Amino acid sequence: MAGGLTIDGVTKAEAPAIRDLLTAAFGGPAEADLVDALRAGGFVALELAARDETGPAGYLAFSRLAVAAPNERRRALCLAPLAVRPDRQRRGIGTALVREGLARLEASDEDIVLVLGDPAYYGRFGFRPGRPDRMETPYPHPENQWLVLKDRPLPLRLALQYPPPFAALG
């Protein structure tokens, strides 16, 4: 990656640096606490870090969502959080992390990725606003968006449950 950055999985030894990055990027510890709780609960399916010579400059996690019957064979993840160190923002690091994460998921057995965020930003990656008549989650529409991987057809109705640590974000 340009600018001396590399993207790869997160190591356990990087947990304190990732925590510091999340706290700085979000202006407080809520997202860092979320990641700690998701890790402790075994909900994190994929974590990526963009690194420069000083350590992690960006971070991205995908966590497992529960899918209700009759679609329980579907594999769904949520993208959260995405963070870039404040001194490295607006340099394409977040975009590179999302593209790398989605490429890895595209090559896996995953079916659907959800994200709760700015539709203009995430729309660049193919995310589309969720429809209340087709997607049931505890979060609002249109900020709640989905991306179907591998061009698989979506079920007519999909009920998804986020891991319990997300409830602590309020």
Side-chain angles (χ1 to χ4, degrees):
M1 181 176 182
L5 287 171
T6 59
I7 296 177
D8 207 351
V10 173
T11 67
K12 285 188 178 206
E14 290 177 303
I18 296 294
R19 183 169 181 79
D20 291 345
L21 183 154
L22 290 165
T23 300
F26 288 101
E31 282 76 8
D33 292 345
L34 170 67
V35 169
D36 288 347
L38 290 169
R39 286 177 182 147
F43 298 109
V44 177
L46 176 63
E47 291 181 274
L48 296 175
R51 296 175 191 83
D52 63 15
E53 64 282 351
T54 65
Y59 174 80
L60 172 65
F62 292 91
S63 297
R64 176 78 41 220
L65 297 172
V67 181
N71 301 300
E72 66 274 3
R73 291 189 191 171
R74 297 284 184 148
R75 295 177 53 86
L77 298 171
C78 64
L79 183 166
L82 170 62
V84 176
R85 230 174 42 213
D87 65 322
R88 297 300 307 264
Q89 292 177 358
R90 303 211 178 277
R91 297 183 187 179
I93 296 171
T95 296
L97 280 164
V98 172
R99 289 193 194 289
E100 177 66 20
L102 293 177
R104 289 183 184 208
L105 295 179
E106 201 55 58
S108 72
D109 291 332
E110 303 301 334
D111 295 307
I112 300 165
V113 179
L114 268 67
V115 66
L116 185 63
D118 178 11
Y121 182 81
Y122 289 103
R124 300 181 300 152
F125 307 106
F127 284 90
R128 298 291 173 249
R131 292 178 25 198
D133 62 323
R134 299 218 32 216
M135 181 174 58
E136 179 185 326
T137 77
Y139 299 106
H141 302 276
E143 292 85 7
N144 201 354
Q145 303 154 72
W146 61 15
L147 173 67
V148 178
L149 300 170
K150 300 179 194 119
D151 295 322
R152 294 180 177 163
L154 273 176
L156 291 177
R157 182 138 180 85
L158 193 60
L160 299 161
Q161 182 178 358
Y162 280 72
F166 278 95
L169 282 179

